């Protein structure tokens, strides 16, 4: 299921033609490889599946390998309910916590915390503040032990200031999984691995797990669930599948119809996945939704090319000269960022300036409000 990865060169050849996967430079020479968008062909290799925030250091060595990319029930034909019910290789079922992923990285013999794409996001700051409290030192110690042994510990943070759909009433940090950086193995699936002893020794809180449940039991529980997101089904080869409960999906506020502008806005805000899950689990054809999403990302790529081309016209100029020449241009602020080596904020600019003219009010899907994902 998973490839051996030691160096960034074990990944780059498999994604070189995938514009939707970005190789992003961070501070201290760290490189994060993460998708910005995807379709059915994006994750067509084991290496591409790892591009969900995998991190390499300044030498190109792997330092953090969080959860691989996995999908919602019904999102693609390979993940249909019919195919799920035919499988007999389910390894575990655990609750899908509605929170923010945070994981470890081992850099220069030091433990660092990171979110999916950043080492300095609010998620990281809130995690570090939480772990600085004396009563939470055991989590920090466990994380350092795992990271120093060539593993990535992946947690879910819930924080009142970081609500997703379900507003938590307190800060909570729960372990989801521990991966071997080299092999990608999910070590908690191996009952003989010492990580289980470490979890017990440090009293690490886990995402609720349902070891005695069958798949049928999990699906039957979905319609009655509230104040919860759903389940993750994990298979013996390590692959996973998300199954959301009807209560959670309705909380995303999808109306009876979904217009192409709605799709574009949700995709721009990275909120479309759960709406697609609701539609897919209800048996709605996603063809037009996926086509609209793909068109949005094509527009963003074209904008990126426009900005790069404008910045290139300033070759040989200094900052002041560039500003004097191009300030009247509507893309000036983005081009100036590119010209000075910063990352242009393409997404908010596009949302504020072009999205409404590019995407109209044509209905692309009808949302069956009373449908249940386990039907």
């Amino acid at each position: 299921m998973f490839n051996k990865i030691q160096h960034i060169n074990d990944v780059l050849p498999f994604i070189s033609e995938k514009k939707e996967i970005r190789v992003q430079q961070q501070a201290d020479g760290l490189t994060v490889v993460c998708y910005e968008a995807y379709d059915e062909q994006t994750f067509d290799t084991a290496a591409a599946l790892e591009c969900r925030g995998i991190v390499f250091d300044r030498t190109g060595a792997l330092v953090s390998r969080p959860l691989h990319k996995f999908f919602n029930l019904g999102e693609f034909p390979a993940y249909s309910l019919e195919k799920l019910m035919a499988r007999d290789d389910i390894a575990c079922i655990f609750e899908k916590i509605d929170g923010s992923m945070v994981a470890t990285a081992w850099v220069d013999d030091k433990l660092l915390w990171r979110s999916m794409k950043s080492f300095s996001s609010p998620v990281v700051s809130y995690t570090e503040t939480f772990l600085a409290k004396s009563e939470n030192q055991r989590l920090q110690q466990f994380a350092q032990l795992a990271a120093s042994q060539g593993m990535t510990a992946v947690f879910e943070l819930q924080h009142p200031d970081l609500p997703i759909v379900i507003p938590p009433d307190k800060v909570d940090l729960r372990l989801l999984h521990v991966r071997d950086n080299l092999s990608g193995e999910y070590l908690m699936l191996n009952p003989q691995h010492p990580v289980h002893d470490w979890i017990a020794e440090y009293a690490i809180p886990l995402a609720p797990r349902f070891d005695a449940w069958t798949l049928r039991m999990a699906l039957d529980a979905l319609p009655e669930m509230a104040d919860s997101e759903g389940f993750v089904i994990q298979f013996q080869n390590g692959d996973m599948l998300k199954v959301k409960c009807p209560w959670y999906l309705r909380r995303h506020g999808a109306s009876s119809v979904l217009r192409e502008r709605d799709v574009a806005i949700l995709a721009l805000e990275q909120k479309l996945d759960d709406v697609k899950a609701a539609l897919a689990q209800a048996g709605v054809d996603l063809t037009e939704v996926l086509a609209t999403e793909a068109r949005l990302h094509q527009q963003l790529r074209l904008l990126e090319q426009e900005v790069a081309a404008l910045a290139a016209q300033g070759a040989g100029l200094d900052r002041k000269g560039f500003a004097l020449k191009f300030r009247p241009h509507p893309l000036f602020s983005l081009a100036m960022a590119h010209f000075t080596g910063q990352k242009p904020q393409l997404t908010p600019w596009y949302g504020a300036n072009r999205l409404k003219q590019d995407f109209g009010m044509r209905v692309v899907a009808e949302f069956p409000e009373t449908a249940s994902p386990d039907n």
Side-chain angles (χ1 to χ4, degrees):
M1 174 63 197
F2 304 113
N3 284 357
K4 176 181 177 181
I5 298 177
Q6 290 180 295
H7 192 274
I8 194 170
N9 290 338
D10 295 324
V11 172
L12 292 182
F14 298 94
I15 63 170
S16 60
E17 301 301 320
K18 297 181 184 294
K19 302 298 184 182
E20 66 272 34
I21 296 178
R22 299 300 180 91
V23 180
Q24 300 174 344
Q25 300 301 316
Q26 303 278 319
D28 301 323
L30 298 174
T31 300
V32 179
V33 184
C34 191
Y35 72 94
E36 296 284 343
Y38 66 92
D39 56 28
E40 198 168 357
Q41 284 73 49
T42 299
F43 300 105
D44 54 1
T45 66
L49 283 169
E50 299 295 341
C51 298
R52 189 177 181 262
I54 192 168
V55 181
F56 303 88
D57 69 12
R58 67 178 66 87
T59 72
L62 175 63
V63 296
S64 183
R65 188 172 185 171
L67 305 184
H68 71 286
K69 175 61 181 173
F70 58 103
F71 304 97
N72 290 291
L73 177 66
E75 189 169 351
F76 296 121
Y79 298 96
S80 67
L81 179 60
E82 180 182 10
K83 291 189 176 182
L84 175 62
M85 296 302 296
R87 298 189 69 157
D88 61 359
D89 61 337
I90 293 175
C92 67
I93 299 171
F94 56 95
E95 185 175 329
K96 179 72 173 68
I97 299 175
D98 185 45
S100 302
M101 187 277 287
V102 63
T104 59
W106 191 249
V107 181
D108 296 333
D109 295 325
K110 180 181 178 182
L111 172 67
L112 299 180
W113 289 95
R114 43 71 56 95
S115 55
M116 183 179 291
K117 299 180 182 179
S118 174
F119 283 77
S120 58
S121 67
V123 173
V124 173
S125 298
Y126 283 124
T127 300
E128 292 174 340
T129 299
F130 177 74
L131 293 173
K133 297 179 180 179
S134 58
E135 64 267 28
N136 299 322
Q137 283 299 294
R138 70 188 193 285
L139 283 89
Q140 181 81 2
Q141 292 165 358
F142 167 83
Q144 180 152 335
L145 174 61
S148 67
Q149 297 297 311
M151 307 169 195
T152 298
V154 184
F155 294 80
E156 195 82 0
L157 174 71
Q158 291 183 298
H159 195 289
D161 293 340
L162 297 169
I164 307 299
V165 171
I166 307 166
D169 56 7
K170 64 177 183 178
V171 183
D172 195 21
L173 188 67
R174 290 183 175 267
L175 181 67
L176 300 179
H177 254 303
V178 180
R179 292 191 80 184
D180 181 87
N181 286 347
L182 182 62
S183 69
E185 179 187 358
Y186 284 90
L187 301 174
M188 290 169 63
L189 295 183
N190 179 358
Q192 307 303 318
H193 197 278
V195 71
H196 295 286
D197 297 328
W198 304 344
I199 291 170
E201 178 183 352
Y202 291 99
I204 303 302
L206 304 177
R209 305 176 95 81
F210 307 94
D211 295 332
W213 279 27
T214 64
L215 174 61
R216 186 70 263 169
M217 292 169 67
L219 294 178
D220 287 345
L222 288 170
E224 305 303 320
M225 293 179 71
D227 297 320
S228 184
E229 184 170 347
F231 299 112
V232 174
I233 312 296
Q234 187 161 33
F235 305 100
Q236 292 171 7
N237 68 355
D239 197 12
M240 292 184 274
L241 183 68
K242 295 176 281 190
V243 184
K244 309 290 179 70
C245 73
W247 177 91
Y248 180 86
L249 293 170
R250 287 194 296 268
R251 288 293 294 268
H252 272 274
S255 62
S256 59
V257 297
L258 199 64
R259 303 161 300 185
E260 63 175 30
R261 185 175 297 170
D262 299 326
V263 172
I265 292 171
L266 287 166
L268 205 65
E269 296 175 349
Q270 297 190 337
K271 296 178 180 179
L272 184 60
D273 283 1
D274 285 307
V275 175
K276 288 193 298 186
L279 293 167
Q281 289 181 189
V284 177
D285 185 355
L286 294 181
T287 300
E288 290 294 323
V289 175
L290 295 174
T292 303
E293 182 184 18
R295 182 155 62 89
L296 169 73
H297 293 294
Q298 175 64 18
Q299 295 293 344
L300 290 172
R301 286 194 289 271
L302 290 173
L303 174 61
E304 183 178 29
Q305 292 169 9
E306 284 185 76
V307 170
L310 182 61
Q313 293 179 37
L317 298 174
D318 59 15
R319 183 187 181 104
K320 182 178 180 179
F322 186 90
L324 289 172
K325 183 174 181 179
F326 295 107
R327 191 178 298 278
H329 198 286
L331 297 180
F332 169 72
S333 61
L334 299 176
M336 175 59 85
H338 190 291
F339 181 76
T340 56
Q342 302 174 56
K343 183 180 179 181
Q345 298 300 304
L346 301 176
T347 298
W349 188 94
Y350 181 83
N353 294 278
R354 287 192 180 174
L355 186 144
K356 287 185 178 180
Q357 69 187 48
D358 290 343
F359 294 89
M361 307 302 282
R362 180 176 64 91
V363 174
V364 295
E366 294 190 18
F367 193 100
E369 296 180 4
T370 59
S372 171
D374 69 331
N375 286 344

